[in-house]
Amino acid sequence: MIGQAVNRVDGPLKATGRATYAYEHWEAGQPLYGFIVGATIGKGRITRIDTEDAERAPGVQLVMTYLTTPEQGPRDESIPFEYWRAQPVLTGPDIHYYGEPVALVVAETLEEARSAADLVEVEYRAGRGRFDFGEFEDVYIPKTVNAGLPTDTAVGDFDAGFAGAEVKVDQQYTTPYEFSLPIEPNACMAEPRGEDLVIYVSCQITDAARDSVASTLRMAPERVHILAPFVGGGFGSKLGIHSETILAAFAARTLRRPVKVAMTRQQVFQLVGMRPTSSQRVRLGAGRDGRLSAIAHDVTMHTNPDIEYAEQTAATTRSLYAAPHRLTSHRLTALDLPRGTDVRAPGEAPGMLTVESAMDELADALRMDPVELRIRNEPTVDPERDVPYSDRHLVDCLREGARRFGWENRPATPASVRDGQWLIGYGMSAAIRGHFQGPTAVRVRLETDGTAVIQTDMTDIGTGTYTILTQVGAEGLGLPLERVRIELGRSDHPTSWGSGGSWGATNSCTAVHRACMTLREKLLDTVRDDARSPLHGLDPANAVFSDGNVGTDGASEALGEIVARNHPEGVEAEGRTLFMGDDPNYSAYSINTYGATFAEVGVDADTAEIRLRRMLGVYSVGRVFNPKTARSQLIGGMIWGVGAALEEEAVVDPRSGAFVNRDFAGYLVPVHADIPDVDVVVLEGYDDKANVLGAKGLGEVGICGSGASVANAVFNATGVRVRDFPVTIEKLLPGLPPMDA
């Protein structure tokens, strides 16, 4: 079953509207509805807040402000990961960023709550906020960056190596604020049950959600029950819980009734967090033969003053190309804006956008094929950790991609090929992303009717978790797919690291596989010692599990019969994966996924309108559980790259700290008309250092570098290099060559 392109097992539920998301649960009866009131200044202090008119409005049951919010637990910085910490809201009169919650209005209907929210009167004393990233030059050095990676690295003598290079690239690039923006906005329903609290919430990590709610509300974790069976997208924005969940929980406990709170789309822009804006300096020094002698990647990005977030933007530069002299660094500047947070491929996406653009600049300076340049700088061991790669096929991705794309037809000279009104260009980029492993537990139970139930608090954020766990469980126990049932997203199931970081599939599938192997051993021990079984005395080494039976040497017995006779209550086993820091493979090897992206664009010679004409990605990700869902994930990532290159950009009002384009009318993302022909090829592989299944995460490698392939294609089409992303008409138009050139 593993490796087959199985249709999504939850597809019929979603297609018929029977998949229940956080805001759609009605088990508790008629709920109340909450609406968040946000601050209308970006920095300052509340001097007066009047809720009387709102409290008298029709249907209103509660108006909560910092004056009435119950005592909350503080953020505990000693907890290693942000998403497990308390997330207090309405903690006092100080305003830290625009849109910060200042009140929650709860009413019998959503319309009543939203109408009454307009009646809450808030007066402020505005302070001078820091909102403009380009205005402030004071920076500081974080202790570490995201994922606990080192802030800076240095190998060799970069200054000497760069100074002695025959060909140099030294450029500054900027990337904007970007958002995750899944289809399902952040939403929650909190239901009090005696001393317990049941939270139906859109989250990616149920264990983190439970601990965060419990510590914020000062409850015992076992009193908090998280349910997230279906999540309508996350992309990092739901790794932790947010204000709607804490506010719903407080309101439900206060009123002793279920309370639903969902963010509006505009509130998602202000309250959930975003990819930080960045200024990145990339320096490359090479010989005339194209071999890099020095590489440096220095990043400065925004952070919130109270909740530090340092995206690991320069981290992938450490493993991508060979060069004896190396330097990477991360610096932060504090702004009074929402906190930075993980957005799909945090660090790798903005970092590779710039580094792969710089590599294209180096190829142009050398008059060398960009594919050949990358192949010449292929390392034999990790150039900074000095350990071998577990399974590296980047060169294979580059060569196969070039062959399939027809790279030999690439215009050698920028702005030299036209198709009528359109300037035509090709671009490419490499991709790398680290593979992560987190502690995960899964329970597999075999029932007396021969069906299997797989339970874990792992979530499915639309990536296909239900399907691939079904496939691994079916193969592990030799069952048809329809006899495997998956139960996800409940905090009373075995604990996982959830969905995120491209670790969810491999963690949970590896744990399922191990649970199935343990369960097989239990069943074989049972029949070997059971004189009533036709398999009595069998040699376990010859046993075959297939089609719901176990057999050997011509004899077989149905799994259900074995279980019913010997385990009338069912039989189960647990499988686990370790935290990567406890797995010796992750210190002995550099474990990554790889890819190469190729793009063709057309640029209107008069208007500078950019149109993607086709795109190809070739990836090496180890073993693939399901080619159909894998292809979907990789194509989705590539489309994110197109958005990062050409469209996505959140703009801050420097007077208030508000995002002025906080909706889909102003914050542009690719739509169907923008994405014509996108193809994906996944090379066959098996990385035995990653896990026993040989698989690696692929949800995010598709976005890594893909934006650079588009930006490089724009340069190839026009001869204009835009280093301030996204590449938009007003940045490109002034440099376009005349039509008769």
Side-chain angles (χ1 to χ4, degrees), residues 42-43 96 127-133 135-140 177 302-303 305 332-338 652-657:
K43 183 70 173 178
H96 306 90
R128 184 178 183 272
R130 296 166 56 98
F131 307 130
D132 189 344
F133 180 70
E135 181 180 343
F136 301 97
E137 297 182 357
D138 50 325
V139 299
Y140 72 93
Y177 301 103
H302 116 279
T303 188
L332 299 177
T333 183
L335 300 178
D336 298 308
L337 296 173
V652 176
D653 185 337
R655 301 165 300 178
S656 66

PDB file of all heavy atoms in Angstrom, residues 42-43 96 127-133 135-140 177 302-303 305 332-338 652-657:
ATOM      1  N   GLY A  42      -1.361  51.592  17.321  1.00  0.00           N
ATOM      2  CA  GLY A  42      -0.312  50.593  17.291  1.00  0.00           C
ATOM      3  C   GLY A  42       0.588  50.601  18.506  1.00  0.00           C
ATOM      4  O   GLY A  42       1.362  49.655  18.716  1.00  0.00           O
ATOM      5  N   LYS A  43       0.519  51.655  19.325  1.00  0.00           N
ATOM      6  CA  LYS A  43       1.360  51.747  20.510  1.00  0.00           C
ATOM      7  C   LYS A  43       0.751  52.781  21.440  1.00  0.00           C
ATOM      8  O   LYS A  43       0.349  53.859  20.992  1.00  0.00           O
ATOM      9  CB  LYS A  43       2.785  52.171  20.128  1.00  0.00           C
ATOM     10  CG  LYS A  43       3.778  52.228  21.289  1.00  0.00           C
ATOM     11  CD  LYS A  43       4.117  50.832  21.793  1.00  0.00           C
ATOM     12  CE  LYS A  43       5.242  50.883  22.833  1.00  0.00           C
ATOM     13  NZ  LYS A  43       5.543  49.535  23.376  1.00  0.00           N
ATOM     14  N   HIS A  96       0.326  47.018  22.452  1.00  0.00           N
ATOM     15  CA  HIS A  96       1.626  46.640  21.918  1.00  0.00           C
ATOM     16  C   HIS A  96       1.675  46.631  20.396  1.00  0.00           C
ATOM     17  O   HIS A  96       2.751  46.710  19.814  1.00  0.00           O
ATOM     18  CB  HIS A  96       2.028  45.262  22.449  1.00  0.00           C
ATOM     19  CG  HIS A  96       2.000  45.167  23.940  1.00  0.00           C
ATOM     20  ND1 HIS A  96       0.880  44.779  24.657  1.00  0.00           N
ATOM     21  CD2 HIS A  96       2.951  45.438  24.866  1.00  0.00           C
ATOM     22  CE1 HIS A  96       1.146  44.797  25.947  1.00  0.00           C
ATOM     23  NE2 HIS A  96       2.391  45.197  26.103  1.00  0.00           N
ATOM     24  N   GLY A 127       1.279  56.365  21.966  1.00  0.00           N
ATOM     25  CA  GLY A 127       2.714  56.530  22.115  1.00  0.00           C
ATOM     26  C   GLY A 127       3.393  56.518  20.762  1.00  0.00           C
ATOM     27  O   GLY A 127       2.756  56.263  19.731  1.00  0.00           O
ATOM     28  N   ARG A 128       4.681  56.799  20.756  1.00  0.00           N
ATOM     29  CA  ARG A 128       5.421  56.768  19.492  1.00  0.00           C
ATOM     30  C   ARG A 128       5.857  55.334  19.216  1.00  0.00           C
ATOM     31  O   ARG A 128       6.684  54.766  19.908  1.00  0.00           O
ATOM     32  CB  ARG A 128       6.646  57.683  19.548  1.00  0.00           C
ATOM     33  CG  ARG A 128       7.401  57.753  18.221  1.00  0.00           C
ATOM     34  CD  ARG A 128       8.594  58.711  18.280  1.00  0.00           C
ATOM     35  NE  ARG A 128       9.247  58.788  16.974  1.00  0.00           N
ATOM     36  CZ  ARG A 128      10.209  57.965  16.571  1.00  0.00           C
ATOM     37  NH1 ARG A 128      10.623  57.001  17.379  1.00  0.00           N
ATOM     38  NH2 ARG A 128      10.753  58.101  15.360  1.00  0.00           N
ATOM     39  N   GLY A 129       5.251  54.752  18.210  1.00  0.00           N
ATOM     40  CA  GLY A 129       5.575  53.378  17.870  1.00  0.00           C
ATOM     41  C   GLY A 129       6.692  53.278  16.859  1.00  0.00           C
ATOM     42  O   GLY A 129       6.956  54.208  16.088  1.00  0.00           O
ATOM     43  N   ARG A 130       7.336  52.136  16.851  1.00  0.00           N
ATOM     44  CA  ARG A 130       8.359  51.826  15.852  1.00  0.00           C
ATOM     45  C   ARG A 130       7.712  50.886  14.832  1.00  0.00           C
ATOM     46  O   ARG A 130       7.466  49.712  15.146  1.00  0.00           O
ATOM     47  CB  ARG A 130       9.562  51.148  16.517  1.00  0.00           C
ATOM     48  CG  ARG A 130      10.298  52.040  17.508  1.00  0.00           C
ATOM     49  CD  ARG A 130      11.255  51.208  18.388  1.00  0.00           C
ATOM     50  NE  ARG A 130      12.203  50.450  17.606  1.00  0.00           N
ATOM     51  CZ  ARG A 130      13.461  50.816  17.352  1.00  0.00           C
ATOM     52  NH1 ARG A 130      13.927  51.968  17.853  1.00  0.00           N
ATOM     53  NH2 ARG A 130      14.261  50.065  16.641  1.00  0.00           N
ATOM     54  N   PHE A 131       7.414  51.374  13.661  1.00  0.00           N
ATOM     55  CA  PHE A 131       6.668  50.604  12.680  1.00  0.00           C
ATOM     56  C   PHE A 131       7.413  50.397  11.361  1.00  0.00           C
ATOM     57  O   PHE A 131       7.100  49.475  10.626  1.00  0.00           O
ATOM     58  CB  PHE A 131       5.327  51.294  12.368  1.00  0.00           C
ATOM     59  CG  PHE A 131       4.490  51.602  13.582  1.00  0.00           C
ATOM     60  CD1 PHE A 131       3.960  52.871  13.769  1.00  0.00           C
ATOM     61  CD2 PHE A 131       4.235  50.633  14.541  1.00  0.00           C
ATOM     62  CE1 PHE A 131       3.176  53.166  14.877  1.00  0.00           C
ATOM     63  CE2 PHE A 131       3.458  50.918  15.655  1.00  0.00           C
ATOM     64  CZ  PHE A 131       2.932  52.187  15.823  1.00  0.00           C
ATOM     65  N   ASP A 132       8.355  51.255  11.056  1.00  0.00           N
ATOM     66  CA  ASP A 132       9.013  51.250   9.746  1.00  0.00           C
ATOM     67  C   ASP A 132      10.347  50.516   9.839  1.00  0.00           C
ATOM     68  O   ASP A 132      11.294  50.989  10.466  1.00  0.00           O
ATOM     69  CB  ASP A 132       9.217  52.682   9.266  1.00  0.00           C
ATOM     70  CG  ASP A 132       9.700  52.752   7.827  1.00  0.00           C
ATOM     71  OD1 ASP A 132      10.160  51.724   7.293  1.00  0.00           O
ATOM     72  OD2 ASP A 132       9.610  53.845   7.236  1.00  0.00           O
ATOM     73  N   PHE A 133      10.431  49.362   9.200  1.00  0.00           N
ATOM     74  CA  PHE A 133      11.645  48.550   9.263  1.00  0.00           C
ATOM     75  C   PHE A 133      12.849  49.295   8.705  1.00  0.00           C
ATOM     76  O   PHE A 133      13.967  49.153   9.210  1.00  0.00           O
ATOM     77  CB  PHE A 133      11.416  47.249   8.485  1.00  0.00           C
ATOM     78  CG  PHE A 133      12.598  46.327   8.464  1.00  0.00           C
ATOM     79  CD1 PHE A 133      13.001  45.661   9.600  1.00  0.00           C
ATOM     80  CD2 PHE A 133      13.304  46.098   7.285  1.00  0.00           C
ATOM     81  CE1 PHE A 133      14.086  44.797   9.579  1.00  0.00           C
ATOM     82  CE2 PHE A 133      14.382  45.237   7.246  1.00  0.00           C
ATOM     83  CZ  PHE A 133      14.785  44.584   8.411  1.00  0.00           C
ATOM     84  N   GLU A 135      13.500  52.391   8.873  1.00  0.00           N
ATOM     85  CA  GLU A 135      13.838  53.626   9.578  1.00  0.00           C
ATOM     86  C   GLU A 135      14.838  53.411  10.704  1.00  0.00           C
ATOM     87  O   GLU A 135      15.571  54.325  11.082  1.00  0.00           O
ATOM     88  CB  GLU A 135      12.548  54.241  10.140  1.00  0.00           C
ATOM     89  CG  GLU A 135      12.738  55.554  10.886  1.00  0.00           C
ATOM     90  CD  GLU A 135      11.433  56.114  11.418  1.00  0.00           C
ATOM     91  OE1 GLU A 135      10.369  55.666  10.950  1.00  0.00           O
ATOM     92  OE2 GLU A 135      11.488  56.996  12.295  1.00  0.00           O
ATOM     93  N   PHE A 136      14.879  52.187  11.248  1.00  0.00           N
ATOM     94  CA  PHE A 136      15.678  51.945  12.450  1.00  0.00           C
ATOM     95  C   PHE A 136      16.857  51.040  12.132  1.00  0.00           C
ATOM     96  O   PHE A 136      16.705  49.973  11.545  1.00  0.00           O
ATOM     97  CB  PHE A 136      14.808  51.311  13.534  1.00  0.00           C
ATOM     98  CG  PHE A 136      13.632  52.169  13.920  1.00  0.00           C
ATOM     99  CD1 PHE A 136      12.382  51.940  13.369  1.00  0.00           C
ATOM    100  CD2 PHE A 136      13.788  53.224  14.803  1.00  0.00           C
ATOM    101  CE1 PHE A 136      11.300  52.729  13.708  1.00  0.00           C
ATOM    102  CE2 PHE A 136      12.707  54.020  15.148  1.00  0.00           C
ATOM    103  CZ  PHE A 136      11.466  53.772  14.599  1.00  0.00           C
ATOM    104  N   GLU A 137      18.034  51.489  12.534  1.00  0.00           N
ATOM    105  CA  GLU A 137      19.254  50.745  12.249  1.00  0.00           C
ATOM    106  C   GLU A 137      19.782  49.989  13.463  1.00  0.00           C
ATOM    107  O   GLU A 137      20.698  49.184  13.327  1.00  0.00           O
ATOM    108  CB  GLU A 137      20.336  51.702  11.734  1.00  0.00           C
ATOM    109  CG  GLU A 137      19.981  52.378  10.415  1.00  0.00           C
ATOM    110  CD  GLU A 137      21.094  53.266   9.911  1.00  0.00           C
ATOM    111  OE1 GLU A 137      22.114  53.382  10.621  1.00  0.00           O
ATOM    112  OE2 GLU A 137      20.954  53.824   8.802  1.00  0.00           O
ATOM    113  N   ASP A 138      19.220  50.231  14.649  1.00  0.00           N
ATOM    114  CA  ASP A 138      19.713  49.531  15.826  1.00  0.00           C
ATOM    115  C   ASP A 138      19.236  48.083  15.800  1.00  0.00           C
ATOM    116  O   ASP A 138      18.057  47.794  15.649  1.00  0.00           O
ATOM    117  CB  ASP A 138      19.266  50.222  17.115  1.00  0.00           C
ATOM    118  CG  ASP A 138      17.783  50.518  17.133  1.00  0.00           C
ATOM    119  OD1 ASP A 138      17.232  50.836  16.067  1.00  0.00           O
ATOM    120  OD2 ASP A 138      17.184  50.417  18.221  1.00  0.00           O
ATOM    121  N   VAL A 139      20.167  47.160  15.939  1.00  0.00           N
ATOM    122  CA  VAL A 139      19.883  45.733  15.870  1.00  0.00           C
ATOM    123  C   VAL A 139      20.538  45.045  17.054  1.00  0.00           C
ATOM    124  O   VAL A 139      21.417  45.611  17.717  1.00  0.00           O
ATOM    125  CB  VAL A 139      20.399  45.114  14.559  1.00  0.00           C
ATOM    126  CG1 VAL A 139      19.735  45.763  13.355  1.00  0.00           C
ATOM    127  CG2 VAL A 139      21.917  45.233  14.452  1.00  0.00           C
ATOM    128  N   TYR A 140      20.096  43.847  17.319  1.00  0.00           N
ATOM    129  CA  TYR A 140      20.743  43.058  18.365  1.00  0.00           C
ATOM    130  C   TYR A 140      20.898  41.615  17.902  1.00  0.00           C
ATOM    131  O   TYR A 140      20.287  41.190  16.909  1.00  0.00           O
ATOM    132  CB  TYR A 140      19.981  43.144  19.683  1.00  0.00           C
ATOM    133  CG  TYR A 140      18.660  42.415  19.735  1.00  0.00           C
ATOM    134  CD1 TYR A 140      18.577  41.098  20.207  1.00  0.00           C
ATOM    135  CD2 TYR A 140      17.473  43.033  19.339  1.00  0.00           C
ATOM    136  CE1 TYR A 140      17.373  40.436  20.279  1.00  0.00           C
ATOM    137  CE2 TYR A 140      16.258  42.373  19.410  1.00  0.00           C
ATOM    138  CZ  TYR A 140      16.221  41.069  19.878  1.00  0.00           C
ATOM    139  OH  TYR A 140      15.018  40.395  19.941  1.00  0.00           O
ATOM    140  N   TYR A 177       6.827  41.362   4.593  1.00  0.00           N
ATOM    141  CA  TYR A 177       5.983  40.584   5.491  1.00  0.00           C
ATOM    142  C   TYR A 177       5.073  39.692   4.647  1.00  0.00           C
ATOM    143  O   TYR A 177       4.488  40.127   3.661  1.00  0.00           O
ATOM    144  CB  TYR A 177       5.111  41.500   6.357  1.00  0.00           C
ATOM    145  CG  TYR A 177       5.890  42.466   7.215  1.00  0.00           C
ATOM    146  CD1 TYR A 177       6.005  43.809   6.856  1.00  0.00           C
ATOM    147  CD2 TYR A 177       6.508  42.045   8.389  1.00  0.00           C
ATOM    148  CE1 TYR A 177       6.710  44.709   7.641  1.00  0.00           C
ATOM    149  CE2 TYR A 177       7.223  42.937   9.182  1.00  0.00           C
ATOM    150  CZ  TYR A 177       7.318  44.267   8.801  1.00  0.00           C
ATOM    151  OH  TYR A 177       8.023  45.150   9.582  1.00  0.00           O
ATOM    152  N   HIS A 302      12.780  41.824  11.312  1.00  0.00           N
ATOM    153  CA  HIS A 302      12.003  42.427  12.390  1.00  0.00           C
ATOM    154  C   HIS A 302      11.651  41.385  13.436  1.00  0.00           C
ATOM    155  O   HIS A 302      11.564  40.183  13.156  1.00  0.00           O
ATOM    156  CB  HIS A 302      10.724  43.062  11.827  1.00  0.00           C
ATOM    157  CG  HIS A 302       9.456  42.419  12.320  1.00  0.00           C
ATOM    158  ND1 HIS A 302       8.950  41.255  11.769  1.00  0.00           N
ATOM    159  CD2 HIS A 302       8.608  42.767  13.311  1.00  0.00           C
ATOM    160  CE1 HIS A 302       7.830  40.922  12.396  1.00  0.00           C
ATOM    161  NE2 HIS A 302       7.594  41.809  13.324  1.00  0.00           N
ATOM    162  N   THR A 303      11.452  41.844  14.679  1.00  0.00           N
ATOM    163  CA  THR A 303      10.890  41.013  15.729  1.00  0.00           C
ATOM    164  C   THR A 303      10.002  41.878  16.594  1.00  0.00           C
ATOM    165  O   THR A 303      10.134  43.112  16.623  1.00  0.00           O
ATOM    166  CB  THR A 303      11.984  40.348  16.587  1.00  0.00           C
ATOM    167  OG1 THR A 303      11.385  39.404  17.487  1.00  0.00           O
ATOM    168  CG2 THR A 303      12.740  41.388  17.416  1.00  0.00           C
ATOM    169  N   PRO A 305       8.996  43.315  20.197  1.00  0.00           N
ATOM    170  CA  PRO A 305       9.839  43.579  21.369  1.00  0.00           C
ATOM    171  C   PRO A 305       9.595  42.614  22.525  1.00  0.00           C
ATOM    172  O   PRO A 305      10.496  42.372  23.330  1.00  0.00           O
ATOM    173  CB  PRO A 305       9.466  45.008  21.778  1.00  0.00           C
ATOM    174  CG  PRO A 305       8.809  45.602  20.573  1.00  0.00           C
ATOM    175  CD  PRO A 305       8.153  44.473  19.856  1.00  0.00           C
ATOM    176  N   LEU A 332      18.364  41.087  14.673  1.00  0.00           N
ATOM    177  CA  LEU A 332      16.967  41.470  14.859  1.00  0.00           C
ATOM    178  C   LEU A 332      16.850  42.953  15.168  1.00  0.00           C
ATOM    179  O   LEU A 332      17.717  43.528  15.836  1.00  0.00           O
ATOM    180  CB  LEU A 332      16.347  40.677  16.013  1.00  0.00           C
ATOM    181  CG  LEU A 332      16.300  39.151  15.877  1.00  0.00           C
ATOM    182  CD1 LEU A 332      15.717  38.530  17.145  1.00  0.00           C
ATOM    183  CD2 LEU A 332      15.517  38.729  14.649  1.00  0.00           C
ATOM    184  N   THR A 333      15.769  43.544  14.679  1.00  0.00           N
ATOM    185  CA  THR A 333      15.406  44.901  15.071  1.00  0.00           C
ATOM    186  C   THR A 333      13.967  44.877  15.547  1.00  0.00           C
ATOM    187  O   THR A 333      13.087  44.314  14.892  1.00  0.00           O
ATOM    188  CB  THR A 333      15.589  45.900  13.904  1.00  0.00           C
ATOM    189  OG1 THR A 333      15.293  47.212  14.351  1.00  0.00           O
ATOM    190  CG2 THR A 333      14.700  45.559  12.723  1.00  0.00           C
ATOM    191  N   ALA A 334      13.725  45.447  16.721  1.00  0.00           N
ATOM    192  CA  ALA A 334      12.413  45.352  17.365  1.00  0.00           C
ATOM    193  C   ALA A 334      11.470  46.423  16.823  1.00  0.00           C
ATOM    194  O   ALA A 334      11.806  47.615  16.805  1.00  0.00           O
ATOM    195  CB  ALA A 334      12.563  45.495  18.873  1.00  0.00           C
ATOM    196  N   LEU A 335      10.283  45.997  16.400  1.00  0.00           N
ATOM    197  CA  LEU A 335       9.247  46.899  15.920  1.00  0.00           C
ATOM    198  C   LEU A 335       7.942  46.592  16.642  1.00  0.00           C
ATOM    199  O   LEU A 335       7.690  45.444  17.045  1.00  0.00           O
ATOM    200  CB  LEU A 335       9.030  46.734  14.407  1.00  0.00           C
ATOM    201  CG  LEU A 335      10.232  47.012  13.497  1.00  0.00           C
ATOM    202  CD1 LEU A 335       9.846  46.749  12.052  1.00  0.00           C
ATOM    203  CD2 LEU A 335      10.736  48.437  13.672  1.00  0.00           C
ATOM    204  N   ASP A 336       7.102  47.602  16.786  1.00  0.00           N
ATOM    205  CA  ASP A 336       5.823  47.448  17.485  1.00  0.00           C
ATOM    206  C   ASP A 336       4.765  46.911  16.523  1.00  0.00           C
ATOM    207  O   ASP A 336       3.769  47.554  16.198  1.00  0.00           O
ATOM    208  CB  ASP A 336       5.394  48.795  18.076  1.00  0.00           C
ATOM    209  CG  ASP A 336       6.392  49.295  19.108  1.00  0.00           C
ATOM    210  OD1 ASP A 336       6.721  48.524  20.028  1.00  0.00           O
ATOM    211  OD2 ASP A 336       6.860  50.441  18.974  1.00  0.00           O
ATOM    212  N   LEU A 337       5.009  45.691  16.088  1.00  0.00           N
ATOM    213  CA  LEU A 337       4.140  44.994  15.149  1.00  0.00           C
ATOM    214  C   LEU A 337       3.843  43.607  15.712  1.00  0.00           C
ATOM    215  O   LEU A 337       4.507  43.158  16.654  1.00  0.00           O
ATOM    216  CB  LEU A 337       4.831  44.869  13.793  1.00  0.00           C
ATOM    217  CG  LEU A 337       5.141  46.168  13.053  1.00  0.00           C
ATOM    218  CD1 LEU A 337       5.968  45.871  11.808  1.00  0.00           C
ATOM    219  CD2 LEU A 337       3.854  46.890  12.668  1.00  0.00           C
ATOM    220  N   PRO A 338       2.854  42.913  15.159  1.00  0.00           N
ATOM    221  CA  PRO A 338       2.608  41.538  15.625  1.00  0.00           C
ATOM    222  C   PRO A 338       3.865  40.704  15.534  1.00  0.00           C
ATOM    223  O   PRO A 338       4.763  40.959  14.727  1.00  0.00           O
ATOM    224  CB  PRO A 338       1.531  41.044  14.667  1.00  0.00           C
ATOM    225  CG  PRO A 338       0.828  42.278  14.214  1.00  0.00           C
ATOM    226  CD  PRO A 338       1.888  43.336  14.137  1.00  0.00           C
ATOM    227  N   VAL A 652       2.793  48.048   5.692  1.00  0.00           N
ATOM    228  CA  VAL A 652       2.507  48.629   6.996  1.00  0.00           C
ATOM    229  C   VAL A 652       2.305  50.135   6.869  1.00  0.00           C
ATOM    230  O   VAL A 652       3.107  50.832   6.229  1.00  0.00           O
ATOM    231  CB  VAL A 652       3.656  48.338   7.988  1.00  0.00           C
ATOM    232  CG1 VAL A 652       3.414  49.031   9.330  1.00  0.00           C
ATOM    233  CG2 VAL A 652       3.815  46.839   8.189  1.00  0.00           C
ATOM    234  N   ASP A 653       1.240  50.625   7.483  1.00  0.00           N
ATOM    235  CA  ASP A 653       1.030  52.070   7.599  1.00  0.00           C
ATOM    236  C   ASP A 653       2.018  52.584   8.641  1.00  0.00           C
ATOM    237  O   ASP A 653       1.900  52.245   9.826  1.00  0.00           O
ATOM    238  CB  ASP A 653      -0.406  52.353   8.021  1.00  0.00           C
ATOM    239  CG  ASP A 653      -0.728  53.844   8.040  1.00  0.00           C
ATOM    240  OD1 ASP A 653       0.203  54.661   8.152  1.00  0.00           O
ATOM    241  OD2 ASP A 653      -1.927  54.178   7.976  1.00  0.00           O
ATOM    242  N   PRO A 654       2.994  53.419   8.274  1.00  0.00           N
ATOM    243  CA  PRO A 654       4.013  53.858   9.228  1.00  0.00           C
ATOM    244  C   PRO A 654       3.466  54.773  10.317  1.00  0.00           C
ATOM    245  O   PRO A 654       4.161  55.043  11.290  1.00  0.00           O
ATOM    246  CB  PRO A 654       5.030  54.583   8.351  1.00  0.00           C
ATOM    247  CG  PRO A 654       4.248  55.026   7.160  1.00  0.00           C
ATOM    248  CD  PRO A 654       3.214  53.979   6.929  1.00  0.00           C
ATOM    249  N   ARG A 655       2.230  55.213  10.183  1.00  0.00           N
ATOM    250  CA  ARG A 655       1.636  56.068  11.218  1.00  0.00           C
ATOM    251  C   ARG A 655       0.998  55.260  12.340  1.00  0.00           C
ATOM    252  O   ARG A 655       0.975  55.713  13.488  1.00  0.00           O
ATOM    253  CB  ARG A 655       0.591  56.990  10.589  1.00  0.00           C
ATOM    254  CG  ARG A 655       1.127  57.902   9.494  1.00  0.00           C
ATOM    255  CD  ARG A 655      -0.003  58.497   8.686  1.00  0.00           C
ATOM    256  NE  ARG A 655      -0.807  57.449   8.037  1.00  0.00           N
ATOM    257  CZ  ARG A 655      -1.880  57.684   7.308  1.00  0.00           C
ATOM    258  NH1 ARG A 655      -2.303  58.929   7.131  1.00  0.00           N
ATOM    259  NH2 ARG A 655      -2.536  56.679   6.745  1.00  0.00           N
ATOM    260  N   SER A 656       0.461  54.080  12.015  1.00  0.00           N
ATOM    261  CA  SER A 656      -0.318  53.334  13.007  1.00  0.00           C
ATOM    262  C   SER A 656       0.172  51.924  13.243  1.00  0.00           C
ATOM    263  O   SER A 656      -0.191  51.294  14.241  1.00  0.00           O
ATOM    264  CB  SER A 656      -1.786  53.260  12.561  1.00  0.00           C
ATOM    265  OG  SER A 656      -1.896  52.491  11.374  1.00  0.00           O
ATOM    266  N   GLY A 657       0.984  51.384  12.338  1.00  0.00           N
ATOM    267  CA  GLY A 657       1.398  49.994  12.468  1.00  0.00           C
ATOM    268  C   GLY A 657       0.364  49.019  11.943  1.00  0.00           C
ATOM    269  O   GLY A 657       0.518  47.803  12.117  1.00  0.00           O
TER     270      GLY A 657
END
